Amino acid sequence: MSEKSLRITEIFLSIQGESSHAGRPCSFVRLTGCPMRCVWCDSEYTFYGGEHISFEDIFTRLDEFGCKLVEVTGGEPLAQKNVFPFIWELCDRGYEVLIETGGFVSTENVDPRASVILDVKCPASSEAERNHWQNLESLRRDKDEVKFVIADLADWEFAKEVIETYQLVTRAKEILISPVHGIENLQKVAEEISRSGLPVRLNLQLHKYIWGADARGV
Ligand code: SF4
């Protein structure tokens, strides 16, 4: 039995609210702590506190949920070193694993069986300078997704530049454009995306439409 543990904010069963997996039942393991401070962060409650929970107790909770899709999220899940063996064990147990990461930590030690959903921080987040750009070169075309949370049209222009510079169309399974929830010019953003000719996906946070703006979805 493993003695390892993770600092956890919450473990729950819900609906996947984002990415190409949106709408699928999904268990979430939300890790505590994040070294970033995005201006529009909707997970500030993960920055502090949490509870150390053993791998075995986490697996027991997940088994009780009976859902084979698990997302490991945060906070920044990859900031805890024990997350890497945890992901490995999850994959060994036959779970389909999604890793939602803010893009600050290298993804190189993530088990290759897991799928990475990688944020690229745009200028309005105030954290764009901390992107770990090598992560974009490690994306796997068959399973990894890249996500740009955009707060305004300048962020959209930045996203287009990064998509071109890193040839993300050929590198990622999906390119997600995710407007900050409640953004004023959503229609304008949608029009810009539709006119761009880029094979991107407008990514709205489904859980916030179901359970409200404060919903803890992903
Ligand atoms: S990386 Fe994610 S959890 Fe961390 S501050 Fe940014 S949005 Fe919040």
Side-chain angles (χ1 to χ4, degrees), residues 134-145:
Q134 289 94 322
N135 282 340
L136 292 175
E137 289 161 9
S138 308
L139 290 166
R140 285 114 6 121
R141 179 84 166 96
D142 61 326
K143 58 170 58 178
D144 293 338
E145 308 188 15

Side-chain angles (χ1 to χ4, degrees), residues 42-121:
D42 60 1
S43 309
E44 291 168 312
Y45 60 92
T46 67
F47 291 170
Y48 310 103
E51 181 188 354
H52 286 280
I53 304 180
S54 70
F55 284 15
E56 289 305 322
D57 285 348
I58 300 170
F59 292 135
T60 299
R61 290 287 305 278
L62 294 175
D63 287 347
E64 285 168 2
F65 292 153
C67 178
K68 295 308 283 183
L69 179 66
V70 175
E71 177 167 297
V72 181
T73 185
E76 173 48 67
L78 303 185
Q80 294 188 43
K81 286 196 170 53
N82 272 351
V83 80
F84 298 102
F86 176 71
I87 293 167
W88 183 82
E89 284 201 42
L90 269 179
C91 293
D92 260 15
R93 288 170 184 251
Y95 284 102
E96 179 182 355
V97 183
L98 309 177
I99 312 298
E100 169 84 30
T101 173
F104 167 69
V105 183
S106 169
T107 57
E108 65 184 349
N109 292 323
V110 173
D111 189 297
R113 292 170 292 180
S115 300
V116 173
I117 301 169
L118 176 74
D119 281 13
V120 175
K121 299 304 180 192

Side-chain angles (χ1 to χ4, degrees), residues 10 14 21 28 83 94 141 166:
E10 57 187 352
S14 186
H21 303 276
F28 293 86
V83 80
R141 179 84 166 96
Y166 287 88

